[in-house]
Amino acid sequence: MPDDEEFLDRVVAKLAGLPGVTAIALGGSRAQGTHQADSDWDLGIYYRNTFDPQDLRDLGWSGEVFELGAWGGGIFNGGAWLQIDGRKVDVHYRDLAVIERVIAEAEVGQFTIEPLMFHLAGIPSYLLLAELAFAQVLHGDLPRPTYPPELQQQAATRWWNSADLLFGYAETSSASSGRVTQCLGLLAQATMMAAHAVMAAEGRWVTNEKRLLPDAGLSSVDDLLLDFGKAPEDLASLIRSTRNVCSSRLATATNPDESHSRW
């Protein structure tokens, strides 16, 4: 088995030769230096105008290659799960035209939120920028965006407004009726949205939800969820406590020099 450097050089050379591909980037934990020995290799292939997944299949690597749009048709528009030289390799298709549009929108504080499997809060379109901010560019040239100030303000407000609505609904509807599973589901979703708000307020990129709560300083919510009763008044108290934790953390992120906040 080739060592990691030789393996990566060979794979990148093959991917860079595919029609339409103009750049290759290493992402995920390996780009950020937080990987384990058995962590996947996340490779983004950035293309201009068009890309044909059949060209990737024709390289002959084992695994599954998906069509464009097969992962929902949004900003995550497909990819492949491969086994190469005994390593797990995830390939992600990235359309440069989409990235350029998302960058322009982010500069004026605009973004969309898309549902994505395994993500409680969904994913913001500016996640594409977060990938680029952390990625190691291995071939070609790619934008290296910084967090736009207008996006900090708009994203923090939008995420928190959504979280606050969910906290309120969870208390007045689910908790008051003793619907435990629904209540906890809404609570978890709201907390993730609040964490997004904190990260936005501090101008810190988010690439997925795996470490979102600790990165946002909201790990203490885990302790709250482990100690609650099932009675309506207990559930309502849990929701209020969780909301207060999130609101206080966001207040600090938004204005660390003041102890009060509109949140």
Side-chain angles (χ1 to χ4, degrees), residues 39-51:
S39 294
D40 295 351
W41 293 78
D42 293 295
L43 293 171
I45 53 176
Y46 293 79
Y47 62 90
R48 175 72 65 184
N49 298 323
T50 187
F51 172 74

Side-chain angles (χ1 to χ4, degrees):
M1 179 184 296
D3 63 28
D4 285 349
E5 184 175 355
E6 179 185 352
F7 156 77
L8 191 57
D9 287 345
R10 188 164 62 84
V11 171
V12 169
K14 291 282 190 180
L15 294 175
L18 297 177
V21 174
T22 63
I24 308 290
L26 176 68
S29 61
R30 291 188 179 275
Q32 299 179 45
T34 59
H35 62 282
Q36 305 295 322
D38 60 348
S39 294
D40 295 351
W41 293 78
D42 293 295
L43 293 171
I45 53 176
Y46 293 79
Y47 62 90
R48 175 72 65 184
N49 298 323
T50 187
F51 172 74
D52 187 351
Q54 187 58 48
D55 293 327
L56 179 57
R57 291 190 191 95
D58 291 342
L59 292 177
W61 289 322
S62 62
E64 188 169 6
V65 177
F66 296 87
E67 295 300 320
L68 293 175
W71 292 357
I75 61 171
F76 275 19
N77 64 331
W81 302 330
L82 304 173
Q83 286 279 347
I84 306 173
D85 292 338
R87 297 169 172 89
K88 294 180 180 179
V89 178
D90 292 342
V91 175
H92 304 271
Y93 310 149
R94 294 291 181 262
D95 186 335
L96 285 168
V98 172
I99 289 171
E100 290 162 358
R101 172 177 56 79
V102 171
I103 289 175
E105 291 173 346
E107 290 291 340
V108 295
Q110 298 177 2
F111 64 99
T112 59
I113 301 173
E114 298 179 0
L116 185 67
M117 188 71 73
F118 316 125
H119 289 68
L120 287 171
I123 57 170
S125 54
Y126 59 79
L127 186 144
L128 293 178
L129 280 61
E131 289 182 339
L132 290 169
F134 288 119
Q136 295 181 21
V137 180
L138 305 175
H139 169 78
D141 296 311
L142 288 169
R144 308 295 281 178
T146 56
Y147 212 112
E150 189 67 21
L151 182 64
Q152 286 186 242
Q153 179 181 349
Q154 297 297 330
T157 299
R158 181 173 170 186
W159 280 115
W160 176 252
N161 287 345
S162 296
D164 206 27
L165 285 172
L166 283 180
F167 281 130
Y169 183 81
E171 181 177 354
T172 59
S173 178
S174 301
S176 62
S177 301
R179 293 193 288 267
V180 177
T181 299
Q182 185 182 27
C183 181
L184 294 181
L186 291 169
L187 189 61
Q189 187 181 22
T191 302
M192 285 296 184
M193 290 179 171
H196 271 291
V198 169
M199 297 293 280
E202 294 182 338
R204 299 163 61 197
W205 295 116
V206 176
T207 56
N208 58 55
E209 288 187 352
K210 293 177 181 178
R211 288 194 48 80
L212 181 52
L213 290 188
D215 285 349
L218 290 173
S219 295
S220 61
V221 172
D222 289 344
D223 297 326
L224 294 176
L225 294 177
L226 290 173
D227 184 21
F228 70 94
K230 296 182 180 180
E233 58 270 24
D234 294 327
L235 293 172
S237 177
L238 171 64
I239 292 167
R240 289 193 294 270
S241 296
T242 303
R243 186 199 181 280
N244 287 338
V245 168
C246 293
S247 177
S248 296
R249 177 66 184 91
L250 181 58
T252 301
T254 304
N255 196 342
D257 296 327
E258 295 185 12
S259 59
H260 63 277
S261 169
R262 65 188 176 90
W263 309 106

